[in-house]
Amino acid sequence: MGLIEKGKIEGILSGYKKLCIATVCSHSALQIFRGARQEKVHTIGICTKDRLEFYKSFPHAAPDEFLVVDSLADVPVDELVARDAVAVPHGSFVEYVGERLDGMAVPVFGNRRSLQFERDRMKMFSWMEKAGLRVPKTMKPEEIDRMAIVKFPGAKGGHGYMIVKSEKEYWEKIGKRKALIQEFIVGVRAYPHYFHSAFSGAGFRTSYGHVELMGVDRRVESNAEEIARAVAAGGNVPLSFTVMGNASMVLRESLLPEFMEMGRNVSDTSKELFGGMHGPFCVETIVTEDLDIYAFEISARIVAGTNILYHPYAEFTHGEHVSTGRRIAMELKEAFKKKKMNEIVY
Ligand code: AMP
């Protein structure tokens, strides 16, 4: 399905009398609902029956209203529009709905074109290159001359990735399967959370607004995180990268300007490539012992690492702690008040 015309979404938005925030009950939904509630914005949770009990169990983060669906891939578009809702995409939302998000006749916070870039690895690489990011080398099997990580298409949260050290090992372990081979970077992984705002004066100025640093997390992956214990206990355990959760981190302060610059470059190039990202995004990075920052992916929407609700950078920006979920509600409220929803919703 092709991309819905921007004019159609603008037409829908022009009929909105109030603001309401909706998302699929998964990933970072609790944070999105909690943040909207703090900003007194009505919320709708798109939820399957089996998840209702869980999402109802948090009185301060449950949505005000549920739309019950058979599958989380079935976004009830007409019901959302009838309730003046803006859909907030997150990792599972994007995953479940896939390409159908392009044509979905409901206003989506941000720019749905950015999600096309997130889905397509070649587009993603061209974006990262344009933004001047240092990226791990991509290799063909015959070029494997160092430790490499092999990524399979559609792999969820690092599940099933493999490590190889030579072409021979590649053919033995992977064979003819379609995969991306990338230089394995040794270093500390850091996932900075940014927020691009059309209205804020904080953070670094971009060509179409400002980019704020909200926080940084580190992913907790199995069994990479626990491997030292297993090896010490005498086990021969393969390295794997399935995400289990996230842990908060702060960066050396001297590294932060470079991370801020990175956020600005990614924003500015997104403007040139597809009209600009709005709201939350993340650059997945690895910092080497020489303090070189490698970037291996951009997530053009809220990431689950923001579920850690306290990050000092958001407090330094806003004077009190503001979660990314709350920041989304703040930005949408301001756009609604200023009648500028078309600038940050598509
Ligand atoms: P991804 O699916 O690309 O987000 O990667 C999942 C996990 O694999 C990351 O969080 C890292 O721990 C690891 N990883 C991905 N790419 C690299 C790389 N080039 N070098 C080292 N580790 C990587």
Side-chain angles (χ1 to χ4, degrees), residues 30 64 78 143 248 271:
L30 289 168
D64 296 307
D78 296 340
E143 290 170 340
S248 190
K271 179 76 178 161

Side-chain angles (χ1 to χ4, degrees), residues 121 136 149 151 155 157-158 161 182-186 189 191 219 221 241 243 284 286 296-297:
R121 268 194 176 132
I149 183 164
K151 306 181 178 188
Y161 286 4
Q182 208 172 56
E183 168 188 17
F184 185 91
I185 307 294
V186 179
R189 291 160 304 121
Y191 300 77
R219 280 197 195 158
E221 294 167 347
F241 306 92
V243 180
E284 305 185 2
I286 302 174
F296 59 93
E297 207 167 301

Side-chain angles (χ1 to χ4, degrees), residues 132-177:
L133 304 181
R134 185 187 281 112
V135 295
K137 188 178 171 210
T138 301
M139 294 181 269
K140 296 195 180 88
E142 59 275 21
E143 290 170 340
I144 302 172
D145 57 355
R146 62 194 90 175
M147 187 152 66
I149 183 164
V150 182
K151 306 181 178 188
F152 299 100
K156 291 181 191 81
H159 189 66
Y161 286 4
M162 284 171 138
I163 302 291
V164 294
K165 296 184 201 70
S166 66
E167 182 185 357
K168 183 169 171 283
E169 194 182 355
Y170 180 86
W171 293 120
E172 277 166 15
K173 279 190 173 168
I174 319 293
K176 289 215 173 311
R177 273 191 285 169

Side-chain angles (χ1 to χ4, degrees), residues 79-129:
E79 277 103 318
L80 292 178
V81 170
R83 287 166 174 77
D84 295 354
V86 173
V88 174
H90 53 56
S92 308
F93 194 142
V94 172
E95 177 81 37
Y96 296 142
V97 179
E99 285 181 21
R100 281 180 302 145
L101 206 144
D102 292 356
M104 230 168 62
V106 66
V108 172
F109 177 49
N111 179 354
R112 66 183 85 197
R113 285 202 190 99
S114 69
L115 300 171
Q116 291 185 316
F117 272 75
E118 184 175 324
R119 269 200 307 265
D120 182 330
R121 268 194 176 132
M122 292 327 284
K123 279 191 168 150
M124 171 69 69
F125 282 136
S126 63
W127 181 8
M128 293 200 292
E129 199 175 291

Side-chain angles (χ1 to χ4, degrees), residues 56-332:
K56 282 180 179 169
S57 72
F58 297 102
H60 297 280
D64 296 307
E65 193 183 338
F66 284 99
L67 288 177
V68 179
V69 291
D70 290 336
S71 148
L72 292 179
D74 302 333
V75 175
V77 167
D78 296 340
E79 277 103 318
L80 292 178
V81 170
R83 287 166 174 77
D84 295 354
V86 173
V88 174
H90 53 56
S92 308
F93 194 142
V94 172
E95 177 81 37
Y96 296 142
V97 179
E99 285 181 21
R100 281 180 302 145
L101 206 144
D102 292 356
M104 230 168 62
V106 66
V108 172
F109 177 49
N111 179 354
R112 66 183 85 197
R113 285 202 190 99
S114 69
L115 300 171
Q116 291 185 316
F117 272 75
E118 184 175 324
R119 269 200 307 265
D120 182 330
R121 268 194 176 132
M122 292 327 284
K123 279 191 168 150
M124 171 69 69
F125 282 136
S126 63
W127 181 8
M128 293 200 292
E129 199 175 291
K130 200 174 164 69
L133 304 181
R134 185 187 281 112
V135 295
K137 188 178 171 210
T138 301
M139 294 181 269
K140 296 195 180 88
E142 59 275 21
E143 290 170 340
I144 302 172
D145 57 355
R146 62 194 90 175
M147 187 152 66
I149 183 164
V150 182
K151 306 181 178 188
F152 299 100
K156 291 181 191 81
H159 189 66
Y161 286 4
M162 284 171 138
I163 302 291
V164 294
K165 296 184 201 70
S166 66
E167 182 185 357
K168 183 169 171 283
E169 194 182 355
Y170 180 86
W171 293 120
E172 277 166 15
K173 279 190 173 168
I174 319 293
K176 289 215 173 311
R177 273 191 285 169
K178 199 170 159 18
L180 174 84
I181 312 166
Q182 208 172 56
E183 168 188 17
F184 185 91
I185 307 294
V186 179
V188 172
R189 291 160 304 121
Y191 300 77
H193 319 143
Y194 302 96
F195 191 94
H196 192 280
S197 170
F199 314 114
S200 160
F204 272 23
R205 180 186 286 278
T206 68
S207 63
Y208 62 110
H210 278 79
V211 63
E212 299 169 6
L213 182 65
M214 302 294 292
V216 183
D217 79 289
R218 200 170 64 75
R219 280 197 195 158
V220 183
E221 294 167 347
S222 184
N223 50 35
E225 237 66 36
E226 299 295 327
I227 205 147
R229 290 158 57 108
V231 172
N236 179 13
V237 182
L239 199 55
S240 63
F241 306 92
T242 309
V243 180
M244 296 290 156
N246 305 78
S248 190
M249 75 182 285
V250 288
L251 288 162
R252 302 164 63 128
E253 204 152 298
S254 58
L255 277 172
L256 285 177
E258 202 176 329
F259 272 95
M260 290 295 284
E261 201 59 64
M262 214 155 86
R264 166 156 53 203
N265 291 339
V266 168
S267 305
D268 282 343
T269 47
S270 78
K271 179 76 178 161
E272 290 166 35
L273 284 171
F274 52 83
M277 263 185 311
H278 307 286
F281 67 99
C282 172
V283 182
E284 305 185 2
T285 72
I286 302 174
V287 187
T288 68
E289 59 184 345
D290 299 323
L291 301 182
D292 289 332
I293 305 171
Y294 281 81
F296 59 93
E297 207 167 301
I298 301 168
S299 294
R301 35 113 192 130
I302 188 169
V303 289
T306 62
N307 286 339
I308 302 157
L309 287 192
Y310 183 78
H311 292 284
Y313 308 125
E315 175 159 343
F316 299 158
T317 305
H318 294 280
E320 60 176 317
H321 180 64
V322 169
S323 70
T324 293
R326 184 169 173 198
R327 188 68 189 85
I328 291 170
M330 286 161 64
E331 186 82 354
L332 278 169

Side-chain angles (χ1 to χ4, degrees), residues 25-81:
C25 286
S26 186
H27 192 267
S28 44
L30 289 168
Q31 182 201 157
I32 293 168
F33 298 141
R34 171 74 190 141
R37 183 174 288 225
Q38 286 173 300
E39 291 299 310
K40 305 197 167 35
V41 178
H42 187 82
T43 50
I44 298 172
I46 303 158
C47 198
T48 46
K49 250 197 202 129
D50 57 322
R51 292 181 183 215
L52 278 174
E53 184 183 19
F54 172 71
Y55 279 92
K56 282 180 179 169
S57 72
F58 297 102
H60 297 280
D64 296 307
E65 193 183 338
F66 284 99
L67 288 177
V68 179
V69 291
D70 290 336
S71 148
L72 292 179
D74 302 333
V75 175
V77 167
D78 296 340
E79 277 103 318
L80 292 178
V81 170

